[in-house]
Amino acid sequence: MLRFDEFAVALGGRTLVRLDGTVAAGKVLAVMGPSGAGKSSLLKAVAGLIGPPFVVSGRVLVGEEDITRLPVEARGVGLMFQDALLFPHMSVVGNVMFAVPRRVARSRGARREVAMGHLGRVAMAHLAEADPATLSGGERSRVALARTLAGAPRVLLLDEPFAALDQALKARTRDIVFRLAAEDGLPVVMVSHDPADAEAARAQVVEIRPCQEGEGS
Amino acid sequence: MVALAAMLPVAAGLVGILAPAFGHLPALGHRGVSLAPFAALFAAPGIATSVLLSAATGLAATALGVGLTMLLLAASYGGRSLVVAERLLAPILSVPHAAAAAGFVFLFAPTGFVLRLLSPWPSGLEAPPDIALVGDPYGIALVLALAMKETPFLFMMALVALSQVEAAGRVGVARSLGYGRMAAFLHAAWPLVYRQMRLPVLAVLAFAASVVDVVMILGPRQPAPLGGRIVTWLQAADLDGWFLGSAGAVAMMGLVLLLVGLWRAGEAVAGRAAARLRLGGRRWRRDRVARVAVLGFGAVAVAAMAVSFAGLMLQSVAGYWPFPDVLPATVGLAVWQRRLAMAAATLGDTLTIALAATAAALPLAVVLVEAARRGGVSTRLVYVPLIVPQVAFLFGLDVLAIRAGLTPGLGAVILAHMVFALPYQVIALAGPWQALDPRFEAVAASLGAGPVRRFVTVRLAMMTASLLVTAAVSVAVSVGLYLPTQMIGAGRVATVTTEAVAAATGGDRRLLGLYATLQLVIPLLAFAVARWVPALLWRRRRGMRPVRWAA
Ligand SMILES: Nc1ncnc2c1ncn2[C@@H]1O[C@H](COP(=O)(O)OP(=O)(O)O)[C@@H](O)[C@H]1O
Ligand SMILES: [Mg+2]
């Protein structure tokens, strides 16, 4: 469970976004709003990837643990962007192995097995040895998802992850993402332009407007 | 075309050196092909040591420089220290090699500043120790001085590369997967950065293995590394020396090729080791101590350089300055007064050469980066003059110039400086030139501006600051060139750098201080102009503030 407690991101004295409420395991919170409203900034703030000039106030909790002051690497949040941002100097399975925590598997053989499991979940096991640069857009998104899940996150943050895909591909990729997030019991915060994304996820929706407050439930 | 033209002098110089290396010098009545010069080369006393020294110091200085760059970047990435480092880069980069070497001697010689600080307490020394702290037979001082001088250059090339690889997002992903700050950078961004900066790294390797001026100031003697010996041979006014030097230059070319091969093999090994580490998944989350240590080391190194430059200036006005004293007993302007007339003439020639070479090369650089932006050509070829060792092609160029009836002089030196100014200009200009949004020109075109008008009033105008910085880089490069001035000028053209090296080898510290001061001041002035002119010009235009790579 992910809980926001008067969590707000401000820029130059203006509050961009303000959130209160909880996202249960396997459920999706969709944050909608025009460009520049501060959606990406909100996700970065939850992940701990934001600094000056932005000011973050309030708290974010995962379960009972307050993660607001933790460094990025200690938060356990999985991130996915519009660009898959695969590491071009690693193979597909190398990307996923990079994410597997050592408490899950230590030896290289075991880590590889875990990684292959995650690739199987996104139907990419057959391309494990491929160069990420040779993949199609949909395949790249799926590998990015496998990598994120392999990191054993406690929360999933999606920043317009389907925006670069065409309609048919978008629907299929979206289904995989939400199904696997539910399987792993992850609370999801998704930023999107497309109301269909929120519908597909049966998400609670928060609208944010430039310079105004949005209230979650 | 322009890129090929940039290679031409190098190719010509190599051809020019091949003939005498094989005993063919028709101008002096020697015809035919013989291996006698090489036989003489291999019979030269201590030649094996010289070759080993060149190879070892070149590889060690480059490895040290690349390693330091990697650690400094990993420790500062995403923090305020990267912004600070970037601000400090231009002034440090603009320091000529000879001045940096002189500064190193000022700090670490047996009579140097560091030992003075430590004496008589706690070192217990009343007189300078009789050990070779600089000019040591193993070239340790040479390696350290070269690494110190090349690290800022490699750091800047890494920043340029960083802006081309979408590092921020990938490092963010690695950190969100639990990796510590340094580990996230090293795993997710460094391999991509390194791949982009491989050519500059090879240029550093070739330079370090064949360097001459730094060797003359603080390198091993008897035997000196190969580069230094080649120059000694070539400058001996006898035919045997020419043959020997030419054979040495060809051998140097082979040595650098070999070193490049070794380096590439080393890259492959290091790359495989890094890949294993990535798959192992260790997070290295607690890296605070390492980060502070690396940044602390960087700060100390920068401070030491600043102290050494202040020391060189002080040295030029120092009177009596006995050993354990930290500061001279008396100061005075004696050297400046005595040498002013000569120094002024040298300064005039230095500026003439630097400005002429810069002005002549800049249009070529613009043509090159514009062609590269349109995707027509690659700018990789302009690195050739930086990767081929200078000693290997400059003498050949000289031989050809004499055959063509050109007299060595200011004009020839300016042309030679252009060969080195151009690649650095392209390096400095390529990043900002690519980064300018092409839609500005598209808008201008849609408003009816023709190609010439939009190139001048949109692109060149918006590039004012970058063009000036490029010019400043080029002036700094030209001022710092030793070998091209010395060899193409046939000893008849003097710049502040050739005079500084002469003063250093002659052991005249006050005169060295004077010329080193001039060496430091000219590039700094150039960068100050490059910074203030656009600031003044665009003081009412926020959008024209310089774009920073680290942003
Ligand atoms: N590094 C930055 N410094 C200052 N302002 C920024 C920075 N990054 C983004 N902004 C501003 O913050 C606001 C929110 O941006 P962002 O979160 O990317 O919006 P969205 O994702 O909703 O399009 C925008 O007005 C943007 O201009
Ligand atoms: Mg956004």
Side-chain angles (χ1 to χ4, degrees):
Chain A
M1 189 187 69
L2 177 68
R3 184 150 67 88
F4 294 103
D5 179 11
E6 301 196 345
F7 188 73
V9 181
L11 175 65
R14 281 176 17 218
T15 300
L16 293 175
V17 198
R18 211 189 119 103
L19 278 180
D20 248 316
T22 61
V23 187
K27 294 283 185 259
V28 180
L29 172 70
V31 180
M32 320 276 296
S35 287
K39 306 182 298 293
S40 298
S41 305
L42 169 72
L43 292 194
K44 283 187 191 152
V46 176
L49 281 169
I50 210 168
F54 293 92
V55 178
V56 180
S57 59
R59 301 191 305 160
V60 203
L61 299 96
V62 177
E64 288 307 308
E65 189 189 357
D66 183 354
I67 63 165
T68 324
R69 305 267 163 266
L70 292 182
V72 190
E73 55 269 26
R75 293 193 183 201
V77 293
L79 276 175
M80 280 183 68
F81 302 99
Q82 176 177 332
D83 305 312
L85 289 175
L86 298 181
F87 300 118
H89 52 301
M90 308 179 202
S91 66
V92 164
V93 67
N95 265 276
V96 184
M97 280 172 78
F98 182 71
V100 176
R102 284 178 68 80
R103 67 184 138 76
V104 173
R106 295 180 84 86
S107 80
R108 278 211 287 162
R111 299 175 60 77
R112 199 187 150 82
E113 222 165 281
V114 173
M116 288 304 292
H118 285 287
L119 283 175
R121 296 175 77 194
V122 298
M124 285 297 293
H126 60 294
L127 286 174
E129 298 306 330
D131 175 356
T134 62
L135 302 184
S136 72
E139 288 168 339
R140 255 177 245 173
S141 302
R142 272 145 56 202
V143 174
L145 175 65
R147 182 177 66 180
T148 307
L149 295 177
R154 299 182 290 175
V155 178
L156 193 57
L157 306 178
L158 310 173
D159 191 349
E160 308 194 31
F162 317 118
L165 306 177
D166 64 54
Q167 284 304 330
L169 205 54
K170 193 172 185 170
R172 259 189 294 149
T173 311
R174 204 161 52 192
D175 287 345
I176 300 178
V177 171
F178 295 132
R179 180 165 54 75
L180 295 186
E183 258 178 49
D184 289 7
L186 297 173
V188 180
V189 181
M190 173 182 66
V191 154
S192 170
H193 267 109
D194 185 351
D197 288 346
E199 264 166 51
R202 281 185 293 276
Q204 22 173 0
V205 177
V206 175
E207 289 274 355
I208 59 175
R209 260 162 257 128
C211 314
Q212 289 194 2
E213 289 186 5
E215 291 283 327
S217 55
Chain B
M1 264 308 288
V2 178
L4 277 180
M7 276 188 59
L8 208 62
V10 179
L14 289 178
V15 171
I17 200 104
L18 272 176
F22 289 97
H24 183 74
L25 207 57
L28 295 169
H30 278 257
R31 290 176 183 283
V33 174
S34 96
L35 288 175
F38 284 98
L41 176 69
F42 293 128
I47 190 70
T49 313
S50 291
V51 171
L52 267 180
L53 269 174
S54 287
T57 53
L59 286 173
T62 311
L64 205 54
V66 170
L68 274 175
T69 301
M70 179 180 88
L71 289 177
L72 282 169
L73 209 53
S76 60
Y77 186 75
R80 281 201 51 75
S81 42
L82 187 58
V83 181
V84 176
E86 210 194 333
R87 296 261 161 93
L88 287 172
L89 262 184
I92 297 179
L93 264 177
S94 65
V95 173
H97 278 89
F104 191 90
V105 172
F106 171 83
L107 287 179
F108 299 113
T111 56
F113 192 69
V114 171
L115 267 185
R116 285 169 188 268
L117 278 180
L118 296 176
S119 302
W121 186 88
S123 74
L125 292 170
E126 296 290 341
D130 191 19
I131 43 173
L133 288 178
V134 299
D136 61 288
Y138 304 106
I140 295 168
L142 178 61
V143 167
L144 293 179
L146 282 171
M148 186 175 97
K149 169 68 189 138
E150 297 301 349
T151 301
F153 172 68
L154 291 170
F155 195 89
M156 185 189 80
M157 298 319 294
L159 284 183
V160 174
L162 202 49
S163 66
Q164 299 166 351
V165 297
E166 272 191 284
R170 293 202 170 88
V171 173
V173 167
R175 288 195 68 198
S176 73
L177 288 171
Y179 285 85
R181 285 178 59 162
M182 287 181 84
F185 176 84
L186 292 175
H187 282 322
W190 177 253
L192 307 174
V193 169
Y194 183 80
R195 204 177 295 174
Q196 294 279 321
M197 61 185 275
R198 193 177 268 143
L199 275 175
V201 168
L202 293 182
V204 167
L205 176 62
F207 181 85
S210 63
V211 63
V212 173
D213 50 354
V214 180
V215 165
M216 288 173 74
I217 294 173
L218 50 64
R221 280 170 269 261
Q222 278 150 8
L226 189 57
R229 295 189 74 180
I230 295 171
V231 172
T232 313
W233 289 328
L234 289 177
Q235 289 187 335
D238 66 73
L239 205 55
D240 288 340
W242 283 20
F243 284 133
L244 197 54
S246 303
V250 172
M252 176 58 92
M253 189 66 212
L255 178 64
V256 165
L257 281 178
L258 183 72
L259 290 182
V260 168
L262 275 177
W263 184 265
R264 296 301 300 260
E267 274 176 6
V269 172
R272 208 151 310 143
R276 284 183 69 97
L277 276 180
R278 286 196 291 269
L279 299 184
R282 261 177 229 286
R283 258 51 176 179
W284 278 291
R285 218 178 270 180
R286 255 166 289 173
D287 61 1
R288 199 188 185 81
V289 175
R291 260 186 301 139
V292 170
V294 170
L295 292 178
F297 176 82
V300 168
V302 170
M305 271 190 247
V307 167
S308 78
F309 301 148
L312 287 174
M313 294 181 191
L314 184 61
Q315 207 163 268
S316 73
V317 296
Y320 182 55
W321 195 357
F323 169 65
D325 294 3
V326 171
L327 292 175
T330 58
V331 293
L333 289 173
V335 185
W336 286 89
Q337 280 160 355
R338 206 158 8 96
R339 305 286 184 150
L340 196 62
M342 216 184 77
T346 307
L347 189 61
D349 280 354
T350 308
L351 289 176
T352 307
I353 295 168
L355 293 176
T358 297
L362 199 52
L364 300 179
V366 166
V367 169
L368 257 176
V369 291
E370 176 66 8
R373 185 179 69 90
R374 298 192 180 167
V377 298
S378 136
T379 54
R380 295 163 75 94
L381 277 181
V382 301
Y383 278 96
V384 168
L386 304 189
I387 292 180
V388 176
Q390 296 179 5
V391 278
F393 73 93
L394 282 172
F395 181 70
L397 216 50
D398 225 14
V399 171
L400 292 186
I402 292 169
R403 287 237 341 238
L406 293 173
T407 46
L410 221 50
V413 171
I414 290 171
L415 285 176
H417 279 221
M418 275 180 67
V419 173
F420 298 94
L422 183 62
Y424 283 103
Q425 288 184 358
V426 170
I427 289 172
L429 196 53
W433 199 268
Q434 293 277 357
L436 183 70
D437 194 330
R439 289 173 300 181
F440 285 115
E441 280 156 294
V443 169
S446 72
L447 295 173
V452 175
R453 185 160 155 237
R454 60 181 190 258
F455 185 74
V456 174
T457 61
V458 179
R459 182 161 280 273
L460 284 184
M462 292 187 76
M463 284 282 124
T464 312
S466 300
L467 286 167
L468 283 168
V469 169
T470 302
V473 168
S474 160
V475 165
V477 165
S478 165
V479 168
L481 286 177
Y482 173 74
L483 212 50
T485 317
Q486 189 71 8
M487 293 192 83
I488 302 296
R492 266 175 267 171
V493 177
T495 64
V496 291
T497 292
T498 59
E499 292 296 299
V501 174
T505 50
D508 187 338
R509 292 201 195 159
R510 289 186 191 87
L511 196 58
L512 169 62
L514 185 152
Y515 281 114
T517 303
L518 293 177
Q519 273 194 304
L520 293 168
V521 167
I522 302 173
L524 273 184
L525 278 181
F527 277 103
V529 169
R531 196 160 170 166
W532 289 113
V533 166
L536 223 66
L537 216 53
W538 309 117
R539 67 185 177 285
R540 294 178 187 286
R541 297 282 178 271
R542 274 177 63 96
M544 292 298 286
R545 300 252 170 93
V547 184
R548 301 204 158 267
W549 288 309

